[in-house]
């Protein structure tokens, strides 16, 4: 019997795990019982949330591994667009599970795949390519700013602009292309403002 006054789930579960370990109990035959109704409901909801999240993550990792295995059987040249779509989705769901280095890696991979395809895309599809490139570049920028100095994110922005500065599309779309280039700068400036505001807020609390 484990009697714990702490209402913190982690504390109770750690004590329970320690009791099971030291008593050499079979975890399958042991159970944690919380007698306080309100705390028991909250504990149960938190444990269920953790179990569902763990199962969802395991399902995602299995599906991602299966997708990679299928892609290995495809020709990159004939299935380039499919590979890019797969990469964007993989990056998106990776970010949900872990919005850090793993997500940044997947976004960079998808961006690289798109940039390799872009060289062979006709001018009338430049706007389509730039829309996807903008999405990926913005994700790379925001994730880089969250973990690295602003100079790293700025370098990434400059590489992005260098790659797509000539993707003006048909002559009639020249003005739209200039607006697109300006929007890339505007997004980066807005991200820098958010970083500065967060730093100022942290300084005021400190």
């Amino acid at each position: 019997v484990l009697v714990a006054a702490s209402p913190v789930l982690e504390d109770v579960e750690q004590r329970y795990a320690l009791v099971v370990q030291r008593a050499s109990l079979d975890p399958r035959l042991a159970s944690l019982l919380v007698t306080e109704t309100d705390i028991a409901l909250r504990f149960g909801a938190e444990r269920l949330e953790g179990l569902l999240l763990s199962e969802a993550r395991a399902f995602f990792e299995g599906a991602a591994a299966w997708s990679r295995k299928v892609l290995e059987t495809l020709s990159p040249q004939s299935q380039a667009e499919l590979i890019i779509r797969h990469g964007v989705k993989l990056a998106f769901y990776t970010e949900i599970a872990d919005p850090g280095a793993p997500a940044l890696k997947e976004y960079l991979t998808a961006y690289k795949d798109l940039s390799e395809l872009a060289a062979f895309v006709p001018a009338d599809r430049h706007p389509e390519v730039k829309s996807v490139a903008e999405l990926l570049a913005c994700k790379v920028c925001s994730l880089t700013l969250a973990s690295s100095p602003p100079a790293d994110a700025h370098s990434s922005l400059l590489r992005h602009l260098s790659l797509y500065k000539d993707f003006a599309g048909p002559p009639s779309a020249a003005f739209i292309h200039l607006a697109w280039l300006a929007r890339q700068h505007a997004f980066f400036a807005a991200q820098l403002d958010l970083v500065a505001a967060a730093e100022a807020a942290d300084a005021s609390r400190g």
Side-chain angles (χ1 to χ4, degrees), residues 83-84 87-88 90-91 102-116 136 140:
I83 291 174
I84 292 169
V88 173
L90 183 59
L104 178 59
K105 178 182 177 181
E106 296 296 345
Y107 279 117
L108 285 170
T109 299
Y111 185 89
K112 176 179 177 292
D113 292 338
L114 176 65
S115 299
E116 291 176 353
L136 295 174
V140 169

Side-chain angles (χ1 to χ4, degrees), residues 143-159:
L143 291 173
T144 301
L145 280 172
S147 59
S148 304
D152 292 350
H154 186 237
S155 297
S156 177
L157 170 70
L158 294 179
R159 287 193 298 270

Side-chain angles (χ1 to χ4, degrees), residues 111 130-139 141 153-154 156-158 160-162 164-165 176-191:
Y111 185 89
K130 288 190 299 183
S131 295
V132 181
E134 179 177 10
L135 168 66
L136 295 174
C138 288
K139 285 293 187 179
C141 176
H154 186 237
S156 177
L157 170 70
L158 294 179
H160 169 59
L161 294 173
S162 177
Y164 291 97
K165 61 183 175 58
I176 298 177
H177 179 60
L178 292 176
W180 182 86
L181 292 172
R183 191 164 65 242
Q184 313 309 297
H185 288 286
F187 174 81
F188 182 72
Q191 293 299 302

Side-chain angles (χ1 to χ4, degrees), residues 74-95:
L74 303 176
S75 168
Q77 293 181 349
S78 61
Q79 301 293 338
E81 294 186 19
L82 178 60
I83 291 174
I84 292 169
R85 292 190 184 111
H86 171 266
V88 173
K89 290 180 180 179
L90 183 59
F92 175 78
Y93 287 112
T94 300
E95 184 181 9

Side-chain angles (χ1 to χ4, degrees), residues 122-128 130 166-177:
D124 60 343
R125 295 194 65 186
H126 282 181
E128 178 184 351
K130 288 190 299 183
D166 296 327
F167 275 62
S172 59
F175 177 77
I176 298 177
H177 179 60

